[in-house]
């Protein structure tokens, strides 16, 4: 096997290629890195999967001192440090999971200048003991990940993040880099102010994640819809977000009963159980995590292929961040949301408990934007990007609206049937009961109220339950019906319904989408790779990862394996040409992978 001599690591491009294994920077990364190397404060807004970590990791390697990374989650620190060590970079983390003896060894390495990066939680960074310990060290940079948590206007404000401005008092000359994927204009300004940044370089990358397909499905029988969708995913990794702990427990149990490799995750579980689920998911031992929003911030797993929202999120920021956990490797991924307009008033009631009136108004406005997004009939990606002030004229071609445009029809007759049914039932019942009358259901409740004698009883039996649900929801959306949430969501006609009932104008409605169209994509098809070889490489990756006690993506991600299966490298030079392979990973993992490839080619 040939031996390659590494050139001196003295500039960003050299670090990128020889250590991280990539040939070119993504757009904006080099500008951010050079600003940091010049000692300037920096605010970085890049989408999840946009390469934020490299923006501070490359300067950390090049600068003389230590970079302190402030990160919110233990699991994220562990993943980041494991990946850095696999690339030959001296990195450690200190948190409550690290024994005191090990902490002392880390501090010793810190004092001796042997570390390049140290990860800590915001709570730890503000402790007097920690500040005293690092005061004598050569600190080159503070990198604050998930920086939107600093701001009162951020969607995930955290009090300890708010106090990070205190670091300026102790280390006034150390530059800061704040990084986030989700921050509107008000939040961006507040981050700069709260951290006491001085004339920062602000880089706002595109919020567009073109590899993610956005789909919103009307919620009819959500569990059946979810199971049908998951069966199409062929063993891919994914996250299912639910709005409550109770629902997480229920859905996780039902998926397990249906034969899926799934587990639940929420803040009501003990720390050991949550850590167990997160580790197993990271290591590809669990395929699907059903979770509340307690799961996900800082998830570093690049091969999450789908994110499903079983319930509507409370803000566009939350939706964007959660869907952004899919496809971090840049390969094709999907974001699916099940939406019932009746969920909107239920979610709004959560905001009534917010004591701060201004905060409550902000949260209500954010949820209004989210509900408008869910109800929209225009390109999903355009709406998302416009929300973040990145105006897009062209439709994306990769969302449900673009791929399967809504079709309109003359809905006057079915609207008259539905409105008449609500009226004849004395406007005292909810959607489900009205649908039962329209379809002629023989239920005890209908007989009890003598509604089987109504002229509208069974008038709509030619259509499915889901069809009528969609029609009634559209009539609510058109302002022809109101749902009285104070009276059990009963339906009541509005004044506008009178003209429709009289046939005074033609009402155009959207044809209900009763069966969602999901076309399974080979997410790696762009590489034109050998699938049998890829499967063998993946099995080897899993074996080596288990031996090293790290997630498989720490060894190599799926994109790198697909490129190996395409290029079939059999010597060091060829192996280094594969994206994601640097000198350290060549040295550590190259031999077994190249041997497998040689054996495979010889058998062929």
């Amino acid at each position: 096997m040939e031996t390659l001599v590494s050139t001196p690591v003295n500039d960003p491009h050299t670090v990128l290629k020889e250590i991280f294994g990539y040939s070119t920077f993504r757009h904006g990364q080099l500008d951010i890195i050079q600003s940091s190397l010049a000692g300037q404060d920096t605010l970085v807004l890049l989408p999840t999967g946009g390469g934020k970590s490299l923006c501070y990791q490359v300067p950390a390697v090049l600068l003389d001192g230590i970079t302190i990374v402030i990160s919110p989650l233990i699991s994220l620190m562990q993943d980041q440090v494991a990946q850095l060590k696999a690339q030959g970079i001296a990195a450690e983390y200190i948190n409550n999971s690290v024994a005191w003896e090990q902490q002392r060894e880390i501090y010793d390495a810190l004092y001796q200048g042997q570390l390049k990066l140290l990860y800590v939680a915001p709570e730890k960074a503000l402790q007097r003991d920690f500040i005293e310990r690092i005061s004598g060290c050569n600190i080159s940079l503070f990198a604050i990940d998930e920086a939107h948590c600093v701001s009162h206007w951020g969607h995930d404000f955290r009090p300890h993040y708010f106090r990070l401005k205190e670091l300026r008092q102790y280390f006034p000359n150390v530059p800061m880099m704040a990084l986030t994927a989700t921050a509107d204009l008000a939040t961006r300004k507040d981050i700069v102010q709260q951290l006491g940044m001085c004339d920062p370089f602000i880089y706002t990358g595109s919020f567009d994640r073109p590899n993610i397909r956005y789909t919103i499905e009307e919620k009819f029988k959500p569990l059946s819809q979810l199971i049908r969708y998951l069966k199409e995913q062929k063993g891919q990794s994914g996250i299912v977000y639910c709005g409550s702990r109770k629902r997480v427990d229920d859905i996780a149990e039902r998926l397990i009963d249906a034969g899926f490799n799934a587990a639940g995750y929420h803040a009501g579980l003990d720390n050991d159980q949550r850590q167990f689920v997160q580790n197993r998911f990271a290591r590809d031992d669990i395929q699907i995590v059903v979770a509340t929003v307690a799961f996900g911030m800082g998830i570093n797993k690049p091969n999450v292929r789908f994110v499903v929202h079983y319930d509507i999120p409370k803000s566009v920021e939350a939706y964007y961040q959660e869907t952004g956990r899919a496809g971090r490797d840049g390969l094709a991924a999907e974001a699916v949301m099940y939406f019932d307009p009746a969920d909107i008033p239920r979610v709004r009631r959560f905001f009534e408990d917010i004591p701060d009136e201004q905060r409550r108004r902000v949260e209500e406005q954010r949820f209004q934007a989210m509900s408008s997004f869910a109800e929209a009939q225009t390109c999903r990606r355009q709406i998302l990007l416009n929300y973040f002030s990145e105006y897009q004229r062209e439709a994306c071609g990769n969302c449900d609206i673009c791929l399967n445009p809504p079709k309109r029809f003359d809905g006057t007759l079915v609207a008259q049937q539905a409105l008449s049914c609500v009226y004849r039932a004395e406007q005292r019942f909810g959607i489900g009961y009205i649908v039962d009358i329209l379809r002629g259901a023989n239920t005890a409740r209908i007989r009890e109220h003598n509604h089987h004698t109504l002229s509208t009883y069974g008038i709509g039996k030619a259509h499915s339950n889901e069809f009528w649900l969609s029609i009634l929801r559209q009539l609510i959306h058109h302002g022809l019906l109101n749902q009285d949430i104070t009276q059990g969501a009963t339906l009541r006609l509005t004044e506008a319904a009178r003209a429709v009932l009289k046939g005074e104008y033609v009402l155009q409605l959207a044809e209900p989408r009763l069966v969602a169209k999901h076309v399974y994509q080979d997410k790696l098809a762009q590489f034109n790779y050998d699938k049998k070889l890829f499967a063998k490489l993946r099995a080897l990756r899993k074996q080596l990862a288990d031996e090293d006690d790290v997630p498989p993506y720490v060894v190599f991600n799926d994109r790198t394996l697909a490129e190996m299966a395409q290029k079939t490298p059999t010597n060091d030079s060829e192996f280094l040409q594969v994206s994601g392979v640097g000198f350290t990973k060549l040295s550590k993992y190259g031999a077994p992978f190249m041997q497998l490839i040689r054996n495979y080619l010889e058998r062929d």
Side-chain angles (χ1 to χ4, degrees):
M1 185 180 297
E2 62 185 296
T3 302
L4 296 175
V5 179
S6 172
T7 56
V9 178
N10 56 11
D11 73 89
H13 290 94
T14 304
V15 172
L16 183 71
K17 179 56 184 170
E18 296 198 357
I19 295 179
F20 294 96
Y22 301 113
S23 56
T24 57
F25 284 105
R26 296 184 187 179
H27 188 69
Q29 284 181 324
L30 186 58
D31 291 336
I32 295 164
I33 289 165
Q34 289 175 334
S35 170
S36 185
L37 292 175
Q40 189 174 6
D41 286 342
T42 313
L43 174 60
V44 179
L45 291 103
L46 284 172
T48 302
K52 289 189 295 294
S53 298
L54 276 178
C55 291
Y56 63 80
Q57 290 172 350
V58 172
V61 173
L62 291 167
L63 292 167
D64 289 336
I66 178 79
T67 292
I68 307 289
V69 183
I70 296 169
S71 179
L73 291 178
I74 290 175
S75 57
L76 173 60
M77 299 182 197
Q78 292 171 335
D79 283 354
Q80 292 272 19
V81 168
Q83 286 183 294
L84 288 165
K85 287 183 173 179
Q87 287 152 341
I89 299 172
E92 294 290 351
Y93 60 87
I94 294 179
N95 54 45
N96 295 335
S97 72
V98 181
W100 174 239
E101 294 77 11
Q102 188 179 351
Q103 287 191 34
R104 282 197 303 184
E105 292 177 5
I106 294 171
Y107 282 125
D108 287 343
L110 180 64
Y111 300 146
Q112 294 168 21
Q114 297 174 353
L115 292 181
K116 298 304 294 181
L117 295 103
L118 178 64
Y119 286 73
V120 296
E123 296 85 353
K124 183 69 174 178
L126 295 167
Q127 288 177 3
R128 173 72 63 176
D129 175 69
F130 181 76
I131 289 173
E132 290 176 353
R133 286 180 177 275
I134 65 173
S135 292
C137 299
N138 179 18
I139 304 174
S140 57
L141 178 67
F142 283 111
I144 301 170
D145 204 4
E146 309 293 350
H148 56 273
C149 297
V150 170
S151 173
H152 274 294
W153 309 124
H155 68 283
D156 193 22
F157 169 69
R158 299 188 178 200
H160 279 94
Y161 261 83
F162 183 67
R163 288 183 52 211
L164 287 175
K165 59 187 175 185
E166 296 173 20
L167 292 173
R168 276 294 191 212
Q169 301 170 17
Y170 299 109
F171 308 96
N173 299 318
V174 177
M176 282 188 173
M177 181 186 291
L179 308 102
T180 180
T182 46
D184 57 21
L185 290 173
T187 304
R188 298 173 206 177
K189 292 178 181 177
D190 203 30
I191 291 171
V192 171
Q193 181 180 347
Q194 296 301 339
L195 292 177
M197 289 184 156
C198 179
D199 190 25
F201 172 70
I202 300 176
Y203 182 82
T204 303
S206 172
F207 285 87
D208 192 10
R209 295 287 306 281
N211 61 312
I212 298 177
R213 174 175 295 173
Y214 297 103
T215 299
I216 296 181
E217 292 183 28
E218 194 167 355
K219 187 186 283 188
F220 297 121
K221 297 177 181 177
L223 181 61
S224 298
Q225 289 170 266
L226 176 63
I227 288 175
R228 186 168 62 246
Y229 174 75
L230 294 179
K231 285 180 178 178
E232 297 170 353
Q233 297 312 301
K234 301 186 179 181
Q236 303 280 12
S237 292
I239 304 169
V240 178
Y241 281 110
C242 299
S244 68
R245 298 176 186 180
K246 181 179 179 182
R247 181 157 285 174
V248 165
D249 292 337
D250 178 53
I251 299 301
E253 182 178 345
R254 289 172 181 266
L255 291 184
I256 292 167
D257 289 345
F260 292 100
N261 181 8
Y265 184 108
H266 57 68
L269 301 173
D270 62 56
N271 286 334
D272 289 344
Q273 177 65 14
R274 293 203 304 271
Q275 194 65 44
F276 174 78
V277 171
Q278 186 145 327
N279 287 342
R280 297 265 294 173
F281 182 62
R283 294 168 191 237
D284 293 341
D285 295 323
I286 290 175
Q287 177 197 352
I288 302 161
V289 172
V290 185
T292 60
V293 294
F295 179 81
M297 181 185 282
I299 289 296
N300 212 30
K301 184 177 168 71
N303 65 329
V304 175
R305 297 269 65 92
F306 62 88
V307 170
V308 175
H309 280 92
Y310 201 85
D311 302 298
I312 185 172
K314 294 179 182 175
S315 70
V316 175
E317 288 92 343
Y319 174 79
Y320 179 81
Q321 187 174 56
E322 288 153 15
T323 56
R325 284 154 195 157
R328 288 174 61 106
D329 52 12
L331 302 176
E334 291 179 280
V336 177
M337 185 172 84
Y338 301 129
F339 174 61
D340 179 352
D343 289 339
I344 291 175
R346 282 197 286 269
V347 174
R348 282 200 176 114
R349 277 179 287 198
F350 287 116
F351 304 131
E352 295 173 2
D353 297 329
I354 300 175
D356 184 296
E357 184 178 349
Q358 188 178 23
R359 180 73 183 180
R360 182 171 63 253
R361 284 203 305 269
V362 170
E363 294 301 330
E364 287 172 346
Q365 290 168 3
R366 284 189 165 141
F367 181 63
Q368 179 59 48
M370 183 66 224
S371 57
S372 296
F373 169 78
E375 293 173 326
Q377 297 291 304
T378 54
C379 172
R380 308 288 183 197
R381 196 178 313 274
Q382 279 183 308
I383 298 173
L384 274 180
L385 295 177
N386 290 348
Y387 181 85
F388 290 110
S389 302
E390 185 180 334
Y391 301 105
Q392 187 87 6
R393 288 187 178 182
E394 301 297 325
C396 74
N398 194 29
C399 71
D400 60 313
I401 298 296
C402 290
L403 294 168
N404 184 22
K407 297 177 182 177
R408 317 296 286 184
F409 76 108
D410 181 349
T412 308
L413 176 61
V414 293
Q416 290 171 336
Q417 292 172 336
L419 294 170
S420 295
C421 190
V422 172
Y423 178 76
R424 295 180 188 284
E426 300 177 331
Q427 305 181 73
R428 296 193 296 113
F429 300 91
I431 286 182
Y433 185 77
I434 296 300
V435 171
D436 283 346
I437 296 175
L438 286 165
R439 299 192 68 242
N442 183 22
T443 67
R445 190 180 182 200
I446 285 178
R447 292 194 302 274
E448 177 187 337
H449 290 289
N450 212 32
H451 285 160
H452 59 292
T453 64
L454 295 177
S455 60
T456 52
Y457 178 76
I459 198 172
K461 60 186 176 183
H463 297 297
S464 68
N465 182 80
E466 290 79 12
F467 174 88
W468 283 113
L469 275 175
S470 179
I471 295 301
L472 284 162
R473 288 168 179 171
Q474 289 186 62
L475 296 180
I476 294 169
H477 192 58
H478 278 272
L480 305 176
L481 289 172
N482 276 333
Q483 275 185 305
D484 187 344
I485 62 173
T486 66
Q487 299 293 326
T490 57
L491 294 176
R492 294 183 177 175
L493 276 69
T494 69
E495 185 60 30
R498 188 185 303 272
V500 176
L501 284 168
K502 289 183 175 181
E504 293 178 356
Y505 71 92
V506 173
L507 180 65
Q508 290 289 316
L509 295 178
E511 287 187 8
R513 299 182 182 189
L514 305 182
V515 179
K517 295 180 181 179
H518 293 294
V519 179
Y520 177 75
Q521 298 172 294
D522 179 356
K523 309 300 192 293
L524 300 164
Q526 68 193 71
F527 292 100
N528 190 26
Y529 64 108
D530 185 320
K531 293 182 181 179
K532 289 184 180 179
L533 176 56
F534 177 81
K536 291 180 180 292
L537 293 169
R538 195 174 183 187
L540 175 60
R541 177 183 66 178
K542 176 65 172 161
Q543 175 191 329
L544 296 174
D546 288 346
E547 290 173 1
D548 288 349
D549 196 26
V550 295
Y553 58 79
V554 169
V555 179
F556 292 118
N557 64 31
D558 284 359
R559 175 185 285 268
T560 300
L561 291 190
E563 200 170 318
M564 286 185 203
Q566 177 193 49
K567 295 181 176 178
T568 60
T570 56
N571 59 51
D572 288 7
S573 294
E574 294 173 350
F575 203 73
L576 281 169
Q577 296 306 308
V578 175
S579 178
V581 178
F583 280 99
T584 301
K585 287 197 174 182
L586 168 66
S587 174
K588 190 168 186 177
Y589 300 117
F593 279 95
M594 285 186 284
Q595 187 59 54
L596 186 154
I597 292 169
R598 281 193 289 267
N599 291 344
Y600 181 82
L601 294 175
E602 288 171 3
R603 289 196 192 102
D604 278 7

